Amino acid sequence: MTQRQLSEPAYTPAYVSTVEAGKVRPSETALRFFAERLDTSVEELTTGRPARLATELRYALTDAQRELATGSAAEAAVRFERLLAEAVELDLPPEQAEALLGLGDCALESGELDLARDRFEAAERLLAVAPLPKRARAVRGRAVAHLLAGELRYACYLLESAIDGLSTSGLADPEALVLLYAAVIGPYIDMGAHARAAHAAEVALALAPRVSDPALVAGMHRQVARTFLAEGRTADADAALAEAQTIYRQLRLGTDLAHCHWMRGYVHAQNGHLDLAERELRTARDMLTARRATLYTAQVEVELADVLRRLGRFDQAAEVAATLLRLGDRHGAVHAGGAHRLLGLIAEERGDTEDAEQHYVQALAFLERSGASGDLADLCRLLGDLLRRAGRTEAAMDAYRTGLGHRAAPGTTTLGPPPAAPPHPDR
């Protein structure tokens, strides 16, 4: 095609010549005209990159997300790494961010919390100029990484900040809000802030009909179940979890389905149905082990070991808890504290008060940096009772006072008042 053929009828051959020589920058109108004449896209004309490459990369990212949902996190991570390299080579920041979000989710599932945090932070930097709803997944990922590391207050800070930002900026995107409100329920409950957890669940349920992503709705139901549990509404909790399970079975989201079995096991344990609880928890553990989800497997085993203890199978419970402690606190301070608390209970029931005291003290050391006030108060009570029975009255009083201090102001976060509720859809 000659310069004249390219330029006519809208432009001149001389103009085409100056563009080719780099002496002028064509307008958007000129770019669209030339792209149409050359039978290509504006993107390929300006970047030299065929548009289909970006489309193919997005399809591949979708496939990687499906693999993460239904298969192995380790295998999905290999795909995401390759796709990240392609996105960098093609200079596609949104696709780079998507690959980083996938890698962050893989790292969360495998228990590599520092790596997960780094991935989510890198994604958020790439999306810095994007609207806040586009950054919600990155914020939520960072918050979950901090939560699982036992940093409950900072996790709340991240989530509350994003919720407030969405609510006050006029960008109250329903999917982003459900994602964030569902994520904040867990740390609220661990911190003893049950009223805030109930408020978050209420808002998430009100927004759910406006969410088109069934996996997100299922995740919300799973988190809302925790609020029902805190309020003693076990039937409602079980119903919410059954709803989530139905959706996850349809979507074949293995890890989330395992979480539902985990929570149902917890419901049964709270109701005293220990045989049913053991069955559900073992199912959850087996599913998570098959997916090599190290972090979540360890957390389920804390619950399973406690059920085994309550069934009187102390040796089995101690074996599970001891295995957890060999992992260190990579699975989070809250659950490391839970393992020590469990071993303390077992030691106490066996009459070994010295060993029990050591485990309770170690559990307190883990939990004090997490902000899990309810668990801290419970541990202080256990330690105080142990010391009182041993005749160490002053030490017992100190433990009780510490526990009362943790119950005096439960669930406060770094932001003070809870996030403002988003505008109701009917208002």
Side-chain angles (χ1 to χ4, degrees), residues 170-185:
L171 299 173
D173 179 88
E175 292 200 7
L177 283 170
V178 169
L179 186 74
L180 296 169
Y181 270 113
V184 83
I185 290 172

Side-chain angles (χ1 to χ4, degrees), residues 12 31 53 76 88-89 109 120 139 214 246 259 287-288 293 304 327 336 380 383 387-388 392:
T12 65
L31 282 172
L53 292 181
V88 170
E89 184 179 350
E109 192 154 312
F120 289 124
V139 173
T246 300
H259 276 260
M287 293 173 70
L288 292 167
L304 176 60
L327 295 174
C380 289
L383 180 58
L387 295 170
R388 178 174 54 81
R392 296 160 61 186

